[in-house]
Amino acid sequence: MELEKREFQRSFIEMVQALHGRDIADTTAREQFLALAMVVREYTGRKWAAAVHPAVSQKQVWYFSIEFLPGRLLRGYLFNLGIYELCVQALAELGIAIAALEAEEEDAGTGNGGLGRLAACYLDSMAALGLGGHGCGLRYRYGLFEQRVCEGYQQELPDDWLKDGYYVWETRRPDEAVIIRYGTDEQVLAVPYDIPVTGYHNETVNTLRLWSSEAVPSQGCSATCQEAIAQKRRCQSITDSLYPDDSTSEGKTLRLKQQYLLVSAGLQSLIKNHLRHNCLELLPQRVAVHINDTHPALAIPELMRLLLDEYGWGWQQAWEVTTATISYTNHTILPEALETWPVDLFSSLLPRIYEIVHEINERFCRLLWQAYPGDWAKIAQMAVIADNQIKMAHLAIVGCYSINGVAKLHTDILKHQVMADFYHYTPEKFNNKTNGVTHRRWLMAANPGLAKLLSETIGTGWIERPERLEELLQFRSDAAFQEKLAAVKQLNKQRLASYIYGKYGWKIDEHSLFDMQVKRIHAYKRQSMNALHILDLYNRLRENPSLDIPARTYIFGGKAASGYYKAKKTIKLIDTLAQLINRDQTIQDKLKVVFLENYNVSLAELIIPAADISEQIPTASFEASGTANMKFMMNGAVTIGTQDGANIEIGRLVGTDNIITFGLSANDVLQYYRQGGYNPWSVYQSDHRVATVMEQLVNGFLPVPPDEFKTHYQSFLQEGDYYFVLKDFAAYADAQQQAGELYRNRCRWLSMSAANIAHSGYFASDRTFAEYAAQIWQAATGQNSAELYSGKTITQMKACSSSGAAYL
Ligand code: 26V
């Protein structure tokens, strides 16, 4: 962008005055941030207006997701406009540190974890590749709770991210509001708030459209004022809060209301837009609707309803268009996470939608009867409605033309285990799209030191084509390069250490090995196995204080769902270990444990670039893909991981020398389940280290009442250790030992680190998204998508799609 520093400064100063009626010297950092954001909005706004992405030239993708987890956006906007450096200097001359303004931005926490963050990464890639791809989500009044940890116990505070009444990047569009109907006579207004999504160094500006619920204005008239206010509040409350993914009981109706509002509003608005330039029959040629997990699966019956009731189509034609428009990604095989809705609740809230789902089910079962005559068991198993429950995954599979998993193993498990019946019935629908993360945020913005080193070493080609990071392989053993790589890591470790010191007053050894596990706290992710190993290491150090191991700092972060008792106890366990170990002088500072509160996107950006080791240790088969694993490798961390999700693909790419893999395979785990599990007491009896740490959980050794970790003890020993923590313990301890030894061999370690960076290009979301674009979103056009994508570079893809030809 051709923009002079002076001009930028002038705009900024004028904006400060215009917005706040104050001179710069009298403004707070927040006020300065708001002014800077307004300047950025001016630049992007102009481009947004010019980027007419009306359906004329390109097929438009709408990515429907109940969660988007964008984090802070300022730096990305500046990067994309190509004015970050200019802005840093311009502000510095005015005596302002940009970091101070960046810190003033709210971290939009409108997602739980991987699924929401993935949606945000894809938006970034779609804009970067110049394709018309937009997000459709909800504008939650409160994001995921803010976490504090008091004496080891998680406390949850509301994330009041809209306390100023508005979000700095959004534009409210009341003229595009639509009506949503529930039950027989309930109506609310869905109002869209649009956020521009800019592409990196290009002219594309897409839209993230978040819907907020309000009262329909005319409805207030019939009630008394008091009643009208109460009614208004009830309407607004629909989009009040984001559900923590594993909340089970309360608020089921509200959650269903949210899901329906999202899809009904999204579809109504995209159809309206489509009809400005096209006839409805062309919908699948012009628009792809992608549903991120089953939360937006009501898009299927809702699109049917719109076509049948609003546009008067017949069933057959409506079904053909619907099933050629919508595609679906599955993100988990955890049975407790597969959504179902009780028929009673569903049919009273959404009677017409229920009728349509019922009809979909009837017709589907008839087809099944033709395919499997007499096989009642199979038909009952595959039905969309069974046992008075609506199975959302089944609805999604029946109503979508494409179903994908998020890593190869996960897709295989879907095809051959969890959804095997569906795979045999319609194998052509199933495919894999291994996840990716945007290297612009997770490498360029979060780790500018590394980005600079990479560009100095291999040129800047990797920025547009991340797969070119492979060119780094030739430097991996180069001593000069290795020293620079080590220096970058050291600075990032110092940056994190000073954050920790500033926030908690804890001094951590910047020269120790930083071993990180940051992610949602869940039994299957096995933070507890990491904790038990730390306890074991501590035991060994106490026995032999001169044990020759590199000093280690174990860093944890992550939120536990509010109703998840055991996950909260795991936080307490980690905190307890920190209390015990960090104070113990006898182990000569060889071991430290830190739990960082309120893990979110901004904190991840600080933590991940500082990691030496990335812990990716779920019970094999449980983690569909994982995406933190990709962010860590991109920043040069070495993975200790199980053979699960995308870890397997990371391992295949970097080779066995550059990853530390351990533990049961998915097949082993599934085999054990088929046999009814395993006996954890046998491990207890044969491995004295396991026996010791198990007893220490409950015998008063830890500085807590002896029953504090009784549930952990019970689940490991008395309840069959469902997640194979004890079974994998010895292999995990070996892997840790091996990691320590490798770390000591500095050249070897740096070469491993470089190899991980070099192979991370495959996990850039540009690659994933290009696969979706070529293989799924235009598959509806009947083109041979495999041919379209195979062997094509992203640039070729881009050329292909910007002409529009590939989509028509
Ligand atoms: C939901 C629930 C709900 C009930 C109780 C337990 C539970 C556990 C997990 C979930 C997550 C559902 C969907 C999800 O977020 N999946 C994540 O998607 C990421 C992006 O594809 C992927 O990297 C993660 O492996 C996957 O867990």
Side-chain angles (χ1 to χ4, degrees):
M1 185 171 199
E2 287 300 311
L3 183 71
E4 290 306 315
K5 200 162 56 186
R6 298 274 159 264
E7 195 187 328
F8 179 83
Q9 282 171 336
R10 198 172 338 108
S11 312
F12 175 66
I13 292 167
E14 281 173 13
M15 188 60 83
V16 169
Q17 291 169 345
L19 208 58
H20 307 296
R22 285 180 175 168
D23 271 338
I24 286 215
D26 303 325
T27 48
T28 62
R30 170 75 184 169
E31 286 171 328
Q32 292 168 7
F33 159 71
L34 289 173
L36 177 58
M38 285 306 136
V39 173
V40 171
R41 281 191 61 141
E42 245 183 65
Y43 299 147
T44 50
R46 267 181 233 131
K47 285 182 142 192
W48 206 6
V52 233
H53 26 70
V56 202
S57 55
Q58 268 191 20
K59 184 168 183 178
Q60 304 292 296
V61 176
W62 278 93
Y63 197 84
F64 279 37
S65 180
I66 200 91
E67 301 181 12
F68 285 90
L69 189 46
R72 290 183 175 134
L73 297 181
L74 174 64
R75 189 178 293 195
Y77 282 131
L78 293 170
F79 259 76
N80 290 346
L81 288 164
I83 59 169
Y84 183 71
E85 286 307 324
L86 177 146
C87 182
V88 172
Q89 286 169 24
L91 291 174
E93 283 176 14
L94 298 172
I96 298 170
I98 195 162
L101 304 201
E102 289 184 317
E104 291 296 325
E105 181 177 350
E106 43 279 50
D107 180 305
T110 48
N112 274 290
L115 173 137
R117 183 53 234 173
L118 186 78
C121 282
Y122 287 168
L123 286 184
D124 185 74
S125 285
M126 291 197 270
L129 294 190
L131 295 174
H134 315 279
C136 177
L138 294 178
R139 181 182 183 266
Y140 297 107
R141 173 68 187 78
Y142 296 95
L144 184 60
F145 64 85
E146 189 186 316
Q147 179 196 52
R148 302 258 170 89
V149 178
C150 280
E151 311 209 331
Y153 298 107
Q154 171 174 293
Q155 295 187 342
E156 295 140 29
L157 289 93
D159 170 29
D160 195 2
W161 73 297
L162 293 171
K163 58 180 169 297
D164 287 349
Y166 67 96
Y167 176 43
V168 60
W169 307 114
E170 73 190 3
T171 300
R172 177 181 158 91
R173 302 211 190 275
D175 58 312
E176 296 195 48
V178 296
I179 303 249
I180 310 295
R181 291 172 217 278
Y182 299 109
T184 44
D185 56 0
E186 191 184 343
Q187 293 187 359
V188 300
L189 193 69
V191 182
Y193 288 71
D194 288 354
I195 298 160
V197 182
T198 54
Y200 182 74
H201 292 193
N202 67 20
E203 294 307 308
T204 304
V205 185
N206 291 328
T207 298
L208 168 57
R209 173 160 279 197
L210 301 181
W211 296 91
S212 180
S213 61
E214 293 185 10
V216 180
S218 61
Q219 279 200 327
C221 300
S222 57
T224 66
C225 191
Q226 292 281 310
E227 280 167 4
I229 292 171
Q231 169 67 8
K232 209 171 140 100
R233 294 241 166 85
R234 269 197 299 279
C235 292
Q236 289 167 346
S237 72
I238 295 176
T239 50
D240 257 359
S241 57
L242 165 80
Y243 282 91
D245 55 3
D246 15 6
S247 90
T248 40
S249 54
E250 35 91 35
K252 272 221 160 225
T253 308
L254 203 55
R255 169 103 180 175
L256 189 57
K257 278 190 172 179
Q258 287 188 338
Q259 296 189 353
Y260 184 64
L261 186 130
L262 166 71
V263 303
S264 181
L267 288 169
Q268 288 186 55
S269 93
L270 76 82
I271 289 177
K272 231 184 261 176
N273 200 36
H274 170 78
L275 289 177
R276 281 168 37 201
H277 306 276
N278 296 288
C279 61
L280 204 48
E281 285 75 6
L282 278 180
L283 194 71
Q285 280 74 44
R286 301 297 191 178
V287 179
V289 172
H290 195 85
I291 58 174
N292 197 26
D293 219 299
T294 55
H295 322 121
L298 292 176
I300 296 156
E302 175 63 4
L303 182 52
M304 287 298 288
R305 183 189 71 79
L306 290 166
L307 297 175
L308 295 170
D309 299 357
E310 307 286 323
Y311 297 96
W313 285 21
W315 182 277
Q316 197 51 38
Q317 192 190 10
W319 186 245
E320 273 163 25
V321 162
T322 299
T323 53
T325 303
I326 309 179
S327 48
Y328 154 60
T329 299
N330 174 287
H331 293 268
T332 183
I333 57 157
L334 281 180
E336 65 269 40
L338 291 175
E339 283 191 301
T340 59
W341 291 107
V343 163
D344 287 355
L345 183 151
F346 191 102
S347 59
S348 64
L349 186 69
L350 305 168
R352 178 62 181 140
I353 294 297
Y354 178 68
E355 269 177 19
I356 294 171
V357 173
H358 191 268
E359 183 65 24
I360 291 173
N361 184 47
E362 291 280 305
R363 288 173 185 249
F364 178 59
C365 289
R366 249 176 265 150
L367 290 175
L368 289 177
W369 181 258
Q370 281 167 24
Y372 311 108
D375 195 344
W376 283 112
K378 191 190 273 290
I379 296 169
Q381 194 62 38
M382 293 174 75
V384 175
I385 306 175
D387 304 326
N388 273 321
Q389 297 281 326
I390 301 174
K391 299 182 175 177
M392 298 300 271
H394 293 197
L395 176 64
I397 296 174
V398 175
C400 291
Y401 64 86
S402 167
I403 295 114
N404 73 280
V406 289
K408 284 184 184 139
L409 173 70
H410 168 61
T411 302
D412 278 347
I413 294 176
L414 280 180
K415 291 204 297 203
H416 302 299
Q417 319 265 343
V418 184
M419 301 296 171
D421 287 340
F422 288 97
Y423 176 60
H424 290 127
Y425 182 60
T426 46
E428 69 286 354
K429 284 191 182 185
F430 286 77
N431 63 91
N432 177 59
K433 297 286 166 281
T434 298
N435 282 167
V437 300
T438 169
H439 65 296
R440 285 168 291 275
R441 177 178 289 263
W442 296 107
L443 206 175
M444 294 165 66
N447 198 344
L450 180 58
K452 185 160 169 277
L453 173 60
L454 294 172
S455 295
E456 282 166 8
T457 312
I458 57 170
T460 54
W462 64 274
I463 295 175
E464 284 250 332
R465 297 272 304 274
E467 65 274 21
R468 288 216 185 140
L469 284 170
E470 278 188 17
E471 290 165 24
L472 200 64
L473 285 176
Q474 55 190 306
F475 296 96
R476 56 186 287 203
S477 309
D478 178 307
F481 170 74
Q482 286 194 347
E483 282 319 307
K484 290 184 206 158
L485 183 61
V488 166
K489 183 63 78 183
Q490 200 49 47
L491 275 176
N492 291 333
K493 289 167 78 166
Q494 280 163 14
R495 183 173 70 156
L496 178 62
S498 48
Y499 166 85
I500 293 174
Y501 184 68
K503 179 151 186 203
Y504 302 97
W506 303 330
K507 282 200 172 122
I508 60 170
D509 175 4
E510 295 162 7
H511 296 284
S512 63
L513 188 169
F514 281 17
D515 181 312
M516 318 258 196
Q517 189 173 16
V518 286
K519 49 184 77 259
R520 287 299 289 260
I521 314 286
H522 202 291
Y524 85 77
K525 294 177 190 278
R526 301 199 293 190
Q527 282 92 352
S528 58
M529 186 169 74
N530 191 344
L532 291 180
H533 171 259
I534 293 171
L535 182 54
D536 173 52
L537 192 55
Y538 176 62
N539 289 336
R540 281 184 279 148
L541 276 169
R542 283 194 319 139
E543 261 169 41
N544 175 12
S546 53
L547 190 71
D548 193 20
I549 57 159
R552 279 189 190 228
T553 305
Y554 284 94
I555 297 176
F556 292 85
K559 294 176 184 177
S562 37
Y564 196 167
Y565 179 78
K566 203 177 154 200
K568 290 183 165 176
K569 281 283 183 186
T570 298
I571 298 177
K572 177 68 178 169
L573 176 60
I574 294 163
D575 182 82
T576 305
L577 292 179
Q579 300 301 330
L580 177 72
I581 294 170
N582 298 352
R583 289 189 189 140
D584 189 336
Q585 301 296 316
T586 64
I587 57 166
Q588 302 170 2
D589 289 331
K590 281 196 176 142
L591 187 55
K592 295 275 183 237
V593 183
V594 174
F595 187 94
L596 299 179
E597 289 170 316
N598 203 35
Y599 181 62
N600 61 9
V601 173
S602 297
L603 193 54
E605 287 164 3
L606 186 66
I607 291 177
I608 292 172
D612 294 308
I613 289 180
S614 153
E615 298 269 355
Q616 308 299 335
I617 56 175
T619 313
S621 81
F622 280 89
E623 191 69 273
S625 164
T627 43
N629 45 5
M630 301 167 185
K631 295 163 197 163
F632 275 109
M633 83 179 287
M634 207 172 251
N635 283 279
V638 173
T639 305
I640 292 187
T642 44
Q643 300 171 60
D644 199 18
N647 289 356
I648 298 178
E649 288 158 73
I650 292 177
R652 260 182 226 145
L653 275 170
V654 300
T656 47
D657 285 351
N658 297 307
I659 187 167
I660 302 159
T661 302
F662 74 95
L664 296 177
S665 70
N667 275 337
D668 298 336
V669 167
L670 298 173
Q671 187 58 34
Y672 274 116
Y673 285 140
R674 279 191 284 270
Q675 294 166 10
Y678 85 106
N679 178 11
W681 288 106
S682 62
V683 180
Y684 179 96
Q685 274 146 15
S686 61
D687 187 336
H688 74 278
R689 285 161 44 168
V690 168
T692 307
V693 294
M694 281 298 106
E695 290 317 312
Q696 284 172 330
L697 279 184
V698 289
N699 69 5
F701 174 79
L702 298 173
V704 287
D707 62 353
E708 184 76 47
F709 301 117
K710 213 169 90 192
T711 35
H712 270 90
Y713 182 86
Q714 282 170 340
S715 71
F716 292 139
L717 286 169
Q718 283 145 3
E719 291 158 16
D721 186 18
Y722 190 75
Y723 295 104
F724 298 90
V725 169
L726 305 193
K727 188 84 187 156
D728 269 346
F729 185 87
Y732 180 54
D734 285 350
Q736 286 276 346
Q737 171 82 21
Q738 202 190 331
E741 283 160 17
L742 286 164
Y743 185 74
R744 285 233 154 133
N745 182 345
R746 191 174 153 85
C747 287
R748 176 73 208 284
W749 187 264
L750 289 166
S751 146
M752 290 174 81
S753 171
N756 273 275
I757 300 166
H759 288 291
S760 69
Y762 179 78
F763 298 103
S765 44
D766 292 5
R767 185 270 313 156
T768 318
F769 156 73
E771 289 179 5
Y772 274 94
Q775 298 167 1
I776 299 182
W777 295 327
Q778 59 184 322
T781 65
Q783 296 224 3
N784 183 343
S785 53
E787 193 182 294
L788 266 169
Y789 184 67
S790 66
K792 271 209 176 109
T793 63
I794 289 168
T795 317
Q796 283 169 322
M797 285 266 316
K798 200 164 140 186
C800 195
S801 57
S802 58
S803 74
Y807 285 113
L808 298 174

